[in-house]
Structures are given as structure tokens and as C-alpha cells.
Amino acid sequence: TQSTWGALKTQKKKKMAEGNEEIPITSLSMQQLNGLKQQLDEDIEQLTTSYTQLRVAGARFKDSLGALEVLKPENKGRNIMVPLTSSLYVPGDISGIESVLVDVGTGYYINQNIPQARDFCDRKIKMLRENTEKIAEIVATKRKQLESVVMVMQQKMAQFQQQQQAQSASS
């Protein structure tokens, strides 16, 4: 039974590999090409939105690093404007320069010293940069695929128009 099981697994893997074969886009119908084009457009839009959100998150962490730079002994007691939202600020002063509350996600905060908080921000910035680079590569690939699909669609339309003209000329 072991050899039979192994053979079945091998056959299943072959079938799965065959199911993932590349199909030349030139063999697709216009309807299939249009569906593929719409899917690629949606993918590009979603990936672009994700890219933008990651860039915004990266900018926030960079802003947080900048805020950590202000927490120095010489700034203790200094009056500042504390942001409550992106457009609402209240007056405050710098009192504790030894530690900060770090938002680690989903409403959880951790009290960390300044070097730990700086390290946390640096790690997040690095991770976000790597993810934005990956998404940018995927978007570039999807755009090339979209260009190919549009080009094939234009070629098929031109062929169809030539056939129509040839038929009307022979009638």
C-alpha cells in the first residue's frame, strides 16, 4: 500500500503541475482577454492602494523617530504642542524623557526606553520598506502583463476588422 500511496501522490502532484501550465494569451478569446484585463486592473488598483498605505505607515514611523530625537535631557520642561489628531494640538511640556509608550498594534501599548523605541521604529521602517519594494515589483509585473493583454486585444480587434472588411469587399 505504501507504493500505491506514493504513486497516487505523484499522480496528484503531476495533475496539479499540469493545471498550472501557462496558457498563451494569444489563444484566449476576446471575452477571456477582457476578463483577464479587468482582473489585472483590479489587482493593480488594490496593490497600489496597499503600496500607498505602507508608504504612509512608513512616514508615520519616520515621524515617530523624529519625535524621539526631541526627548533629550536639555529639552526637559520645554513647552510643546502635543498632537491629539492630525489637526488638533494641545499645549504640553516634556516631562519624562526616559521612556515612551509605543503602540505595537491593535490597541496595545508597551512602555519602552528611548533606544528600544528607536529600535522598534527602525525595524518597522525596514519591514515596511521591504514590503513596499516587493509590492512595487509585483505592480510592475502586473502592468507588463496588462500591456501584453491589451496588445493582444488590439491585435485581435485589428484582425477582426480586417476579416469584416474582406467579407464586405467580397460581398
Side-chain angles (χ1 to χ4, degrees), residues 44-125:
I44 290 170
E45 184 177 331
Q46 289 173 348
L47 288 165
T48 302
T49 300
S50 295
Y51 178 86
T52 302
Q53 291 171 344
L54 289 174
R55 295 282 303 220
V56 167
R60 286 189 188 138
F61 278 105
K62 286 180 184 175
D63 289 345
S64 295
L65 272 177
L68 290 172
E69 294 302 317
V70 175
L71 297 177
K72 297 177 182 175
E74 60 265 17
N75 289 332
K76 192 170 185 170
R78 183 174 152 213
N79 291 329
I80 60 169
M81 295 299 288
V82 180
L84 293 182
T85 67
S86 61
S87 60
L88 178 63
Y89 291 79
V90 295
D93 59 63
I94 299 175
S95 59
I97 57 168
E98 296 80 30
S99 64
V100 292
L101 281 178
V102 177
D103 182 356
V104 293
T106 62
Y108 289 97
Y109 294 85
I110 296 176
N111 193 23
Q112 292 185 326
N113 63 36
I114 303 301
Q116 289 173 327
R118 191 176 293 122
D119 182 55
F120 177 82
C121 289
D122 285 337
R123 284 193 321 266
K124 288 293 188 178
I125 290 168

Side-chain angles (χ1 to χ4, degrees), residues 127-155:
M127 180 200 63
L128 291 167
R129 186 181 327 111
E130 290 170 354
N131 288 341
T132 54
E133 289 170 359
K134 287 176 187 175
I135 289 177
E137 291 172 11
I138 294 169
V139 167
T141 301
K142 296 272 184 188
R143 284 191 174 138
K144 286 178 185 175
Q145 292 171 344
L146 180 62
E147 287 175 22
S148 297
V149 168
V150 169
M151 191 169 66
V152 169
M153 289 176 77
Q154 290 171 345
Q155 289 171 351

